[in-house]
Amino acid sequence: MTISEDRVKRLVEQLSEPLAVVAADVKKRLVWDFNLPVAVIDARQEPPVLMQSSVGSLGNVLRVSTKIDHPLIRQLFDIYPDRGSDAAIDEMLNGQHGKEFAEVFDEYQEEKKAGTLMWGADDLAGFVVKSRTCFEDDELAIAAVFPAETGDNGHALATFGIPWRYFTTL
């Protein structure tokens, strides 16, 4: 699911004061490292909740799934919007790789029992790289979790950077 630029802009405006505090912490840094502060926003609830984390501690704030990056699970997520969750799961179970999908999906379901999954290892690694690029571009790196429009307890993740100059209090 793609998050609209307007939706992200409204969220940043809504949280501009606490985001400015995190941005000020980042601006003080001379070099990028795993201790660099980043912002994590849970926008699945109202009002949204802002958490500050370090790049190296992101896995403690947004849980990392070992199965969500599996190609068959990604394929399932791709067909959810068109077919709905039950039909998508049935299609995958009855497809060419049904047996493998069933095993991976069971493991994914076990992971879900431990709490809501937010992102996969690929997403986390991508955000670590993005945080470095954002830092080099004088931006605050932000990961925001939005409610999904489809699926059970679904969510969508957006990662982006906001220039420090946006926050007038710096």
Side-chain angles (χ1 to χ4, degrees):
M1 175 183 167
T2 304
I3 304 298
S4 74
E5 189 174 319
D6 286 341
R7 198 170 180 191
V8 169
K9 184 178 178 183
R10 285 191 307 272
L11 181 66
V12 170
E13 288 170 354
Q14 185 177 5
L15 295 171
S16 64
E17 288 182 31
L19 283 170
V21 173
V22 181
D25 289 346
V26 173
K27 187 176 181 183
K28 293 175 191 174
R29 304 297 300 242
L30 298 176
V31 295
W32 179 94
D33 61 23
F34 286 108
N35 294 314
L36 181 79
V38 294
V40 179
I41 302 170
D42 186 347
R44 294 173 300 162
Q45 53 195 338
E46 194 56 47
V49 176
L50 173 77
M51 297 162 275
Q52 181 172 329
S53 177
S54 66
V55 172
S57 298
L58 280 166
N60 296 329
V61 177
L62 294 174
R63 243 172 41 80
V64 178
S65 167
T66 61
K67 298 300 172 196
I68 206 167
D69 288 328
H70 191 284
L72 292 173
I73 298 296
R74 291 288 186 183
Q75 184 180 348
L76 173 69
F77 293 152
D78 287 343
I79 63 175
Y80 263 168
D82 294 335
R83 293 167 184 81
S85 60
D86 290 339
I89 292 167
D90 286 344
E91 182 176 326
M92 293 298 296
L93 288 169
N94 295 313
Q96 180 180 0
H97 303 286
K99 184 177 179 182
E100 181 184 1
F101 171 76
E103 291 172 10
V104 173
F105 188 69
D106 284 345
E107 293 168 0
Y108 172 72
Q109 291 297 96
E110 285 299 313
E111 282 184 332
K112 269 184 90 168
K113 287 180 184 176
T116 303
L117 302 178
M118 294 295 172
W119 57 6
D122 289 348
D123 295 325
L124 174 59
F127 187 70
V128 169
V129 171
K130 180 182 285 269
S131 73
R132 185 175 192 140
T133 302
C134 286
F135 179 78
E136 291 168 354
D137 293 340
D138 295 336
E139 295 178 338
L140 169 63
I142 302 170
V145 182
F146 292 89
E149 295 171 5
T150 60
D152 300 325
N153 299 319
H155 59 270
L157 179 72
T159 59
F160 51 94
I162 299 292
W164 297 336
R165 68 182 176 278
Y166 172 82
F167 304 101
T168 58
T169 60
L170 298 180

